[in-house]
Amino acid sequence: MDFKLNDEQRMLEETVGRLVRDGYPFDAREKARTSELGYSTQMWQQFAELGLLGVPFAEDFGGFNGGGPELMVVAEGFGRGLVLEPYLATVVLSGTLIDALGNDAQKESLISAIVGGELRLALAAYEPEGRYDHTHVATQAEKQGDSYVISGRKAVVLHGDSADKLVVIARTGGETRGREGLSAFVVDADASGVSRRGYETIDGLRAAEIHFDNASGELLGEEGGAADALEASLALGIVALCAEAAGAMEVACDQTLAYIKERQQFGVAIGKFQALQHRMVEMRMELEKARSMTILAACSLDAAPQVRAKRLAAAKAIIGKSGRKVAEEAIQLHGGMGMMEETAVSHYAKRIVMIDHQLGDLGYHMQMLESLLYVDEDAA
């Protein structure tokens, strides 16, 4: 695929690159990671000031009016810095769902607050029994007067521990598993009937298990009409994760190469050994595969639904396989140093591996590919 950034996309890439280089050194990242919140509110405000929180939204809300390629550029830059802030949870997953389903008043209120850095959101979609299946929803929403009450459980809600509001997928009809009857609601995170148990994942991010017990929610869009918009937001999320992984893989390759050039054994740098040179080449090949598939995914968001699903599954599967290869090689070529918390490459490896487990892992997306094997690509 012949893909080149246009002038605006290059400016966006330079902005993110400069921000990560100047404002996100590893020691600053570690200080933010070990804080009570788990990330830096000052950095979040810088995202807002630079317009990064508005990338996928319309100019009417102060946004960039960007699509898959713009999101890819931002996420890849964030991957290079192992950014901790809730960009994926707030902007990509929750914000775009509000943008697709919300009425004018909801969008004016919520999206403007997102773009301004005043509102942090989390998407509560997945459930313990459903694993990676976003249509497995047992959480129920019932109408009471002019509002709805929601009851159920949500699992691994990314940044759900610190979000101001939750975008909750609940069922207003249909069976436990199925696209029919899925609805989206905005729920105040501190509302009565909402209980959250937050924790840190192995890659340093935060997540939460959330229980809803007759919690009041505000409907987005029409009852039972959230499935298409949810899948579109999850597709954007997959593009962002693939791009973030590519950025992290690039740094892992660079740091590993620098290390084997410096590490001495028998009076010579181990990077002189041909076997290690071959392993570095393999790491770079895996990186290029991952980057190429990310570009394909980012450029496929407007394709026919089944074609989009097939290409996204292929991209996420490659990211899972290639990412694990790069992460494992980076650790092994660093030796014991690669296992230390004080060594940055260990954190890159953990994040790369964890990305495989977000929005569907290698096994899940290989099954998706198998089910979509005979989809006609010409339908794009």
Side-chain angles (χ1 to χ4, degrees), residues 234-252:
L234 294 177
L236 279 168
I238 288 174
V239 169
L241 286 172
C242 289
E244 184 187 349
M249 289 165 67
E250 178 185 319
V251 176

Side-chain angles (χ1 to χ4, degrees), residues 30-51:
E30 285 302 279
K31 183 178 179 180
R33 181 181 69 84
T34 55
S35 68
E36 182 179 355
L37 190 61
Y39 61 87
S40 168
T41 55
Q42 290 80 11
M43 184 59 66
W44 187 250
Q45 286 306 311
Q46 285 193 53
F47 291 176
E49 291 166 9
L50 292 171

Side-chain angles (χ1 to χ4, degrees), residues 60-343:
D60 293 345
F61 304 112
F64 190 82
N65 203 30
E70 288 78 18
L71 183 62
M72 176 185 69
V73 165
V74 173
E76 187 168 352
F78 285 171
R80 293 187 184 102
L82 290 184
V83 167
L84 297 163
E85 284 66 34
Y87 193 88
L88 177 66
T90 296
V91 176
V92 181
L93 297 176
S94 302
T96 60
L97 192 56
I98 292 169
D99 193 29
L101 293 176
N103 57 39
D104 290 342
Q106 289 170 327
K107 289 195 282 189
E108 178 64 36
S109 170
L110 298 173
I111 294 178
S112 296
I114 293 171
V115 173
E118 302 156 8
L119 180 65
R120 296 163 300 177
L121 300 167
L123 177 64
Y126 294 98
E127 301 192 354
E129 295 81 8
R131 197 164 169 76
Y132 298 123
D133 184 359
H134 64 276
T135 68
H136 186 114
V137 177
T139 300
Q140 297 289 323
E142 296 182 4
K143 190 168 185 179
Q144 290 189 1
D146 295 331
S147 63
Y148 291 78
V149 292
I150 300 168
S151 296
R153 292 174 58 206
K154 296 294 180 177
V156 198
V157 180
L158 186 62
H159 290 293
D161 60 324
S162 61
D164 302 308
K165 292 181 183 293
L166 305 167
V167 178
V168 183
I169 304 302
R171 192 166 288 285
T172 52
E175 302 297 326
T176 299
R177 177 173 291 175
R179 298 175 79 256
E180 300 299 322
L182 295 181
S183 301
F185 302 85
V186 177
V187 177
D188 286 337
D190 294 324
S192 175
V194 179
S195 58
R196 298 183 282 178
R197 182 180 66 84
Y199 54 90
E200 182 178 347
T201 55
I202 67 168
D203 55 349
L205 298 184
R206 302 294 176 89
E209 307 295 307
I210 304 181
H211 183 260
F212 300 92
D213 184 10
N214 291 322
S216 179
E218 180 182 358
L219 179 67
L220 289 169
E222 299 178 358
E223 272 195 20
D228 289 344
L230 174 61
E231 287 165 4
S233 293
L234 294 177
L236 279 168
I238 288 174
V239 169
L241 286 172
C242 289
E244 184 187 349
M249 289 165 67
E250 178 185 319
V251 176
C253 288
D254 290 345
Q255 290 185 351
T256 305
L257 179 60
Y259 179 78
I260 67 173
K261 284 182 176 180
E262 294 175 0
R263 176 74 166 87
Q264 298 265 328
Q265 191 175 71
F266 307 118
V268 65
I270 63 174
K272 295 287 188 180
F273 302 153
Q274 192 175 58
L276 300 193
Q277 292 174 2
H278 288 170
R279 291 171 71 174
M280 279 303 313
V281 170
E282 290 175 357
M283 289 174 68
R284 289 287 180 182
M285 290 172 62
E286 297 296 340
L287 169 61
E288 291 307 315
K289 283 197 296 185
R291 182 167 282 140
S292 295
M293 290 304 294
T294 299
I295 292 171
L296 176 63
C299 295
S300 299
L301 293 175
D302 294 328
Q306 283 195 315
V307 174
R308 179 186 70 186
K310 180 180 179 180
R311 292 177 181 175
L312 289 172
K316 192 62 166 57
I318 288 293
I319 287 293
K321 186 176 181 180
S322 296
R324 184 172 291 275
K325 172 71 172 177
V326 168
E328 290 175 350
E329 289 288 350
I331 295 296
Q332 289 183 17
L333 291 177
H334 272 80
M337 293 290 294
M339 300 295 293
M340 297 176 63
E341 282 286 309
E342 295 83 0
T343 305

